[in-house]
Amino acid sequence: MIRSMTGYGKGVFEDTGRKFSVEMKAVNNKYSEFNLRLPRLFNPLEDRVRKALSKEIARGRVDIYINFENLGEASSRIKYNKTLADAYHQALVALASDRTLYPDHDTLFTLVSRFPDVIEIDREFGEDEVESLWQGLEAAVNMALDSFVTMRKREGEALKEDMLARLEIIANLTDDVQAKSPEVLENHRAKLKKRMEEVLAGVAVDETRFLNEVAHFADKSDINEEITRMRSHLAQFADILKEDGAVGRKLDFVTQEMAREANTMGSKANFAELSKVVIELKSEIEKIREQVQNIE
């Protein structure tokens, strides 16, 4: 089943006074890119999170937000960052001196204490607790991934139905191109004969030369090979849609080949009616190409 590259998922797991929350959302991207936002205490587990994501996500830019609440109090304490507080204090004193201000001690204390990370809750986990921490986080990550992948599959199925419908339109337009292609030669034959008769002004037309010119044009304007390859690409595209996993790059490549065949048809279509059909054909291929950009 094909998947869309966009998606959203959320997972929440609570255990023994701890709450793990994972939220993830994705947009289109040529490659896989994971942007994690997680508490500092989860840094040792970041690689495990990335590996878990990589098993399910092949393409897309994914933002992952991890939140942790320690509902118990035993492993939490208030932490004072003296180095950072001293730095903020020195900056404020310098600012006051430059501006000829005279803040009192209480004012400086209040300002310094409000700066980020000067006073914070420090949650400490020993090495023996890391595995326990991972078990809770892994559960939340898997919950988020399940809902995320489900949404991607649902959107991917909608994209698939749309592309199958457009494949049928392209197949019908290809049939129209083939049906009208003989008219290109007949139109050229009539124009060439009329032109030669006008130039020769009553003199008999050299049939051999005339037929050679027609044959040369027929060879240059023949699009049977392009039509055959177009049908082959359509069949290949439909087969890829039946595959599982990340197929976006394959579909993108086949779409490029389809566009190349349509462009060649257009360059050979020296006939207004045929040109109109080729333009419609190229338009439908472009619509499919836009949809392919959303496929993982």
Side-chain angles (χ1 to χ4, degrees):
M1 179 180 291
I2 68 171
R3 303 176 183 179
S4 166
M5 268 196 281
T6 59
Y8 173 83
K10 186 175 182 179
V12 178
F13 179 78
E14 292 188 44
D15 180 38
T16 60
R18 300 181 302 179
K19 182 177 181 182
F20 303 82
S21 301
V22 177
E23 188 175 3
M24 52 196 302
K25 56 183 179 180
V27 294
N28 298 353
N29 198 48
K30 191 173 183 180
Y31 306 103
S32 63
E33 180 183 341
F34 302 139
N35 298 308
L36 272 67
R37 304 288 186 272
L38 69 170
R40 187 177 59 196
L41 66 97
F42 282 94
N43 286 343
L45 300 175
E46 181 175 347
D47 187 56
R48 297 193 194 187
V49 174
R50 290 184 180 277
K51 287 181 179 179
L53 297 173
S54 297
K55 291 179 181 179
E56 292 290 345
I57 303 170
R59 295 177 71 198
R61 182 184 184 279
V62 188
D63 292 317
I64 304 99
Y65 304 91
I66 296 175
N67 187 48
F68 174 72
E69 294 180 53
N70 191 354
L71 304 179
E73 297 179 355
S75 59
S76 299
R77 63 183 177 85
I78 300 300
K79 180 181 178 181
Y80 157 53
N81 190 326
K82 183 178 184 304
T83 302
L84 189 59
D86 288 343
Y88 281 130
H89 179 265
Q90 291 174 13
L92 287 174
V93 170
L95 176 62
S97 176
D98 288 344
R99 298 298 177 181
T100 318
L101 301 174
Y102 303 97
D104 57 36
H105 177 77
D106 289 342
T107 301
L108 286 175
F109 173 79
T110 302
L111 290 172
V112 170
S113 65
R114 290 180 178 177
F115 281 117
D117 299 326
V118 172
I119 297 177
E120 61 182 356
I121 297 177
D122 180 32
R123 300 178 178 92
E124 296 183 344
F125 290 90
E127 292 184 7
D128 57 333
E129 296 179 282
V130 170
E131 289 304 319
S132 175
L133 191 66
W134 168 242
Q135 289 175 7
L137 177 58
E138 183 182 29
V141 168
N142 288 336
M143 289 179 189
L145 269 173
D146 286 344
S147 59
F148 178 81
V149 171
T150 297
M151 182 175 180
R152 275 190 155 195
K153 287 181 178 179
R154 184 170 60 249
E155 292 185 358
E157 192 62 25
L159 289 170
K160 177 182 176 180
E161 293 302 317
D162 180 80
M163 288 187 289
L164 285 173
R166 296 195 184 282
L167 283 182
E168 186 174 354
I169 294 174
I170 292 173
N172 292 335
L173 288 171
T174 302
D175 291 340
D176 291 344
V177 169
Q178 185 174 35
K180 291 183 180 299
S181 60
E183 298 179 32
V184 176
L185 183 59
E186 291 302 320
N187 181 66
H188 179 74
R189 184 199 298 270
K191 286 184 177 180
L192 180 61
K193 189 167 186 178
K194 181 179 180 181
R195 191 179 306 117
M196 292 180 70
E197 288 174 346
E198 290 174 350
V199 171
L200 295 174
V203 179
V205 175
D206 185 339
E207 284 296 322
T208 301
R209 182 179 178 184
F210 173 71
L211 292 175
N212 284 338
E213 289 288 341
V214 172
H216 178 67
F217 178 81
D219 184 60
K220 286 176 57 180
S221 62
D222 181 63
I223 57 175
N224 285 322
E225 288 187 13
E226 286 76 16
I227 290 173
T228 299
R229 286 195 292 267
M230 178 67 78
R231 288 178 174 148
S232 175
H233 297 328
L234 291 172
Q236 186 179 9
F237 194 103
D239 288 340
I240 294 173
L241 287 178
K242 299 175 184 177
E243 297 179 9
D244 291 326
V247 297
R249 288 193 180 93
K250 290 183 183 179
L251 294 174
D252 188 44
F253 176 77
V254 176
T255 306
Q256 290 178 36
E257 294 301 308
M258 290 163 58
R260 185 174 291 112
E261 303 303 340
N263 287 332
T264 304
M265 291 180 196
S267 65
K268 292 182 176 182
N270 191 19
F271 183 55
E273 292 302 315
L274 183 57
S275 295
K276 291 179 182 178
V277 180
V278 171
I279 289 173
E280 290 183 38
L281 180 64
K282 292 167 70 173
S283 175
E284 289 300 322
I285 293 173
E286 178 60 21
K287 291 175 183 177
I288 277 193
R289 190 195 69 79
E290 292 175 356
Q291 296 288 52
V292 166
Q293 305 310 309
N294 299 317
I295 300 297
E296 183 183 19

